[in-house]
Structure formats: C-alpha cells, structure tokens
Amino acid sequence: MKPIIKVENLSKQYRVGNRPQSYATLRELFSERVRWPLKRLRRQSLNSDDRNVWALKNVSFEVDPGDVVGIIGRNGAGKSTLLKILSRITGPTTGHVELYGRISSLLEVGTGFHPELTGRDNVYLNGAILGMRRSETKSKFDEIVAFAEIEKYLDTPVKHYSSGMYMRLAFAVAAHLEPDILIVDEVLAVGDITFQKKCLGKMNDVSRVGRTVLFVSHNMAAVANLCRRGIVLSGGSIQYAGTQTGAVAEYLTSVDLRTERLRERTDRVGNSAIKIVDIEIKDDEGRPLDVIASGQNIKIYLHYEAERSFNSSAIIAGLIVTTQLDVPVFLQHNRLTGDEFGTLPHIGAFVCCLPRLPLAPATYRIGVSVMHNGEYLDMLADAAEFTVVDGDFYGTGEVPPATHGCCLVEAHWQLETGVKAEVLAGSTPLH
C-alpha cells in the first residue's frame, strides 16, 4: 500500500534572537549581494552557534491511508513544528515531505479564519482554501453549524467569538469538509469536556471511513483510545514509532520525574517571581515517604524560592493529581480551602495537608502552580510522582484496585425494610 504521508530526514532549525527584516531599498539589496560570499562563510562558521536551535532532527516515518497516529512528547519535543511543516505553514531546513491528498489542519485557535468575516463566510472561505467547490461546502454547511452549536452567532464576525466558539466552529469545519488527512494539535483543550468528547467521537468517525488522522495530545487516555499507532518525539527526534500502547508506555517510562531536578526544569510557565524548586511528601511525623498507603495522612511540600522584590500576600498555590494516563483525579489549592499565607519569606514551602489519602493503589503524577492576581508565576506539569500501595482505608483490610476507580469514597451501608423496599421490589405492601 502506498503511504499517504512520507517523511524523510526532516529537520528544522530556528535561530533564536533574530529580528524580522524590514523591506530593503535597492541600494541595500545591491550591498547585500556584494557581501553575500563573506556572509555565507560566516554562516557556515556559526552553524554550531548556541543561537541555532534544532526543533526537528532527521525525522523519518510513513503513514498509511486510514491510519490514526498519535504524536506525543514533552513540551519542546518538536510536535507542533512537525505539524506546521506537514500543514505547509512553514518549510523544513532539510529533508522533504510527500503528501497525497487534501489536508485540513487545526493547529491554533482561529487558524485559517479571517476575524472580520462572519462565521458563515469563514466556513466557505475554509472550503475554498481546501480546494472545494462552493456546492460541496454548501452540502456540508448544515452539519457544520449543527456540530459547532453557534447558529445564533453565525452571521457575527468571528472576532467577537469567545475562544470556545472559535474552536467549535474551527473543528467543525476541519472535520466535516472531508479532508483526506486531518491534523489536530492540542487545541481541543480550549473546549469544555462535553465538546472534547464530541470532537474525539468525530475523529473516530473520520478514521472509520478511511481518512487519516494525526493527533497531538498530552492526554494519554485519548491517545490510547483513539489512535492505532503512536510516535514519541524527544528533543526533535523520534524516540519510538509503533503501536499506540507501546508509544504511551515509552513516553511514560522516558519521563523519569524522580531523577530530573525540579529547579532545572525549563518547560515551566510563568514569570518565575516565585518558583517551585522541590517537592517532598511526608507523613504526620515529618518523615519523607517513598510510597504512601491508602488512607494515610500525608503532607505535600512545595518548596519555593521568591524574588526578594516580591512582597504580595495574594498567592494561590495549587496542585493537580493525575493518573499515569493524564486523567485528572483531583485539584487542590488554598483558595478552595480559604487558607491564606500572609507575607511570604524569600524561601519556604507551601504545604498541602491531605488526611486519609483517598486513592487506590497505583502510581500518580503531580502538577503544581503558583498564581497571583489571575496570572501564573510558576506552573509545571509532571512535577513529581508518587506511588500508593494497599492500606486500610476502610478499616476492613480491603481496598479495591485502581482498575475499579482510583478514588476511595467513604460510605455506610444499611438495610431498610417497609414500603419503599417493597415498592422497589414490585410487591404490594401488606396491611
């Protein structure tokens, strides 16, 4: 079978710190031409300059028609750069790509939309960009509008849309105009949970009719359920290519959170006025824990360093616990509990006290964040991980496995007799 996508020795280099060039005069163009041989020699000598960053390095793979391929990797691995090259938004530095079919891509909110045009106009504009006749787009128009759920605002310029409305319409257009190849980046995170499920279902439908889907996501559960193949990128190179389960396992294994110093992580968000530099989990006696028993009291220490000039007390420190497949388990921050920290010292720790940890035996991940006035000072995904083992949460010595649900819920069972029980059983009460 001939592949629908063929990538050979693809590399992309960016030069950090370059300023965009302005339009040149005729004199400047002539001078540039004269100096070109010397500049070429200098460029060759600077090829190993630290300002040259390789976003992709010698990437090669093939995708067959009808494949659903998940592309996963940490932030900065090169996923978005790869999709931009495949979507012909940017060109490679070396290597080449062969594409056989019509491509529809959804890489950023609003990609391919004109802000001054209405939603209706943008549907037809995108159809034209994809090479479709107006009659073809018209035949799909009602389906697109129904899927996007924005009929009320269809004749409003899209510059007035919220990010969620933008995303619903953009995905509806990309998925319904029958592309041979559908490329979707992590933009689905903009939508709500119901819309995300709807989009995943639509991508599944697209793949069932023989169309090809490339899907970038940090949601390992979505990759495992939707995709049939997986590619793991690391540092701009392919670390693994094979089944989706193998790709997820490779990615989770490669992200060794316990050996990488948190202080040195560069994939964080925020201005670092406050920076989380270490995470510890301790018991009630202050002893560090390697593993935690279900139902055990624990304290999670988020050690931080603050700039000496920072003196605000309006700080929200939080953490989110997820499964190994990136499924959220619970969120906790001090605004939920109403706790305030007061004036922060330069060095300290935000401590989250969790009584009777209600988690089933498994390995979990922790993401952390520090906010001030609605803006991130520091935010880091996959900042730490911890393992929960069997404990005596219920006082019976029995704990269900994580396959039956990761949360342990306190409850009490009792038996009631009388009218309600008899009615539920379908019998007639005796008098």
Side-chain angles (χ1 to χ4, degrees):
M1 179 185 296
K2 184 178 180 179
I4 193 170
I5 300 174
K6 187 175 182 180
V7 176
E8 289 188 351
N9 299 319
L10 193 67
S11 298
K12 179 64 178 179
Q13 185 186 65
Y14 291 102
R15 188 165 177 81
V16 179
N18 270 7
R19 290 184 298 179
Q21 293 183 343
S22 59
Y23 292 105
T25 64
L26 182 61
R27 180 180 179 179
E28 289 169 338
L29 288 173
F30 179 75
S31 300
E32 181 76 12
R33 188 71 175 177
V34 172
R35 291 195 300 264
W36 169 246
L38 179 60
K39 290 184 69 175
R40 184 171 61 180
L41 289 174
R42 289 184 59 196
R43 182 176 298 177
Q44 290 173 351
S45 67
L46 290 172
N47 235 4
S48 60
D49 196 309
D50 288 341
R51 289 175 293 176
N52 292 330
V53 177
W54 288 96
L56 293 174
K57 292 182 290 186
N58 299 321
V59 172
S60 299
F61 63 90
E62 294 182 356
V63 178
D64 292 329
D67 265 355
V68 184
V69 182
I71 301 176
I72 57 181
R74 294 188 63 165
N75 292 336
K79 305 183 299 296
S80 295
T81 299
L82 174 60
L83 295 195
K84 286 179 180 178
I85 293 176
L86 294 178
S87 302
R88 298 167 180 163
I89 293 174
T90 187
T93 304
T94 61
H96 73 280
V97 175
E98 296 178 16
L99 301 168
Y100 301 94
R102 190 162 55 192
I103 298 176
S104 182
S105 58
L106 190 59
L107 307 184
E108 297 175 0
V109 176
T111 299
F113 276 13
H114 193 296
E116 299 295 337
L117 298 180
T118 66
R120 183 188 303 275
D121 293 336
N122 272 293
V123 172
Y124 285 100
L125 174 63
N126 271 257
I129 291 172
L130 287 173
M132 299 183 69
R133 293 190 297 272
R134 185 176 179 86
S135 59
E136 292 180 274
T137 304
K138 187 175 182 180
S139 67
K140 294 289 182 180
F141 187 84
D142 290 342
E143 290 181 49
I144 291 171
V145 173
F147 188 95
E149 300 174 358
I150 60 159
E151 185 174 3
K152 182 178 178 181
Y153 306 98
L154 194 57
D155 294 308
T156 301
V158 297
K159 66 181 181 181
H160 299 302
Y161 285 12
S162 67
S163 59
M165 293 166 61
Y166 230 126
M167 181 50 52
R168 289 201 300 272
L169 183 58
F171 182 86
V173 170
H176 284 81
L177 292 184
E178 299 186 350
D180 300 301
I181 304 169
L182 176 62
I183 298 178
V184 182
D185 204 344
E186 189 69 84
V187 288
L188 293 185
V190 176
D192 55 34
I193 296 298
T194 303
F195 179 68
Q196 289 180 35
K197 290 181 178 178
K198 193 174 181 180
C199 291
L200 291 173
K202 182 60 182 178
M203 284 193 284
N204 214 1
D205 294 340
V206 168
S207 68
R208 285 200 189 109
V209 297
R211 295 189 175 88
T212 304
V213 179
L214 296 186
F215 179 49
V216 166
S217 179
H218 287 97
N219 186 332
M220 295 300 106
V223 172
N225 292 329
L226 176 68
C227 304
R228 293 190 285 271
R229 291 182 55 215
I231 294 174
V232 181
L233 289 178
S234 178
S237 300
I238 291 182
Q239 181 176 331
Y240 175 90
T243 65
Q244 88 279 25
T245 52
V248 170
E250 177 70 23
Y251 171 70
L252 294 177
T253 302
S254 67
V255 183
D256 191 348
L257 304 171
R258 289 165 291 189
T259 61
E260 184 176 7
R261 293 186 62 187
L262 202 62
R263 183 190 298 273
E264 298 168 358
R265 290 270 295 272
T266 58
D267 57 330
R268 54 180 78 231
V269 175
N271 61 19
S272 295
I274 296 178
K275 185 176 180 180
I276 302 297
V277 296
D278 195 16
I279 296 177
E280 285 187 297
I281 301 179
K282 299 181 180 181
D283 63 11
D284 279 341
E285 305 300 322
R287 293 171 296 208
L289 297 171
D290 292 325
V291 294
I292 306 165
S294 295
Q296 184 175 7
N297 298 335
I298 66 168
K299 297 179 179 179
I300 302 178
Y301 287 71
L302 308 183
H303 295 278
Y304 73 85
E305 291 180 1
E307 294 178 350
R308 296 191 181 277
S309 59
F310 188 85
N311 58 9
S312 175
S313 61
I315 291 296
I316 299 173
L319 57 88
I320 183 169
V321 173
T322 63
T323 68
Q324 287 286 68
L325 291 178
D326 286 337
V327 177
V329 178
F330 69 82
L331 170 73
Q332 183 54 251
H333 53 69
N334 61 294
R335 190 175 66 190
L336 291 174
T337 59
D339 298 312
E340 297 182 357
F341 300 119
T343 303
L344 299 180
H346 171 56
I347 296 175
F350 305 111
V351 184
C352 179
C353 303
L354 297 174
R356 286 177 45 77
L357 185 69
L359 297 181
T363 298
Y364 301 88
R365 297 178 181 273
I366 299 176
V368 296
S369 65
V370 181
M371 298 188 73
H372 177 253
N373 291 336
E375 296 184 358
Y376 284 113
L377 303 182
D378 195 21
M379 191 271 283
L380 197 58
D382 293 339
E385 68 177 22
F386 63 93
T387 300
V388 178
V389 296
D390 287 337
D392 198 11
F393 182 87
Y394 293 108
T396 61
E398 183 176 351
V399 176
T403 53
H404 289 62
C406 56
C407 284
L408 306 178
V409 179
E410 293 195 52
H412 175 71
W413 290 81
Q414 64 187 30
L415 177 67
E416 286 191 8
T417 61
V419 175
K420 288 185 179 179
E422 291 166 351
V423 170
L424 288 173
S427 60
T428 302
L430 297 176
H431 298 285

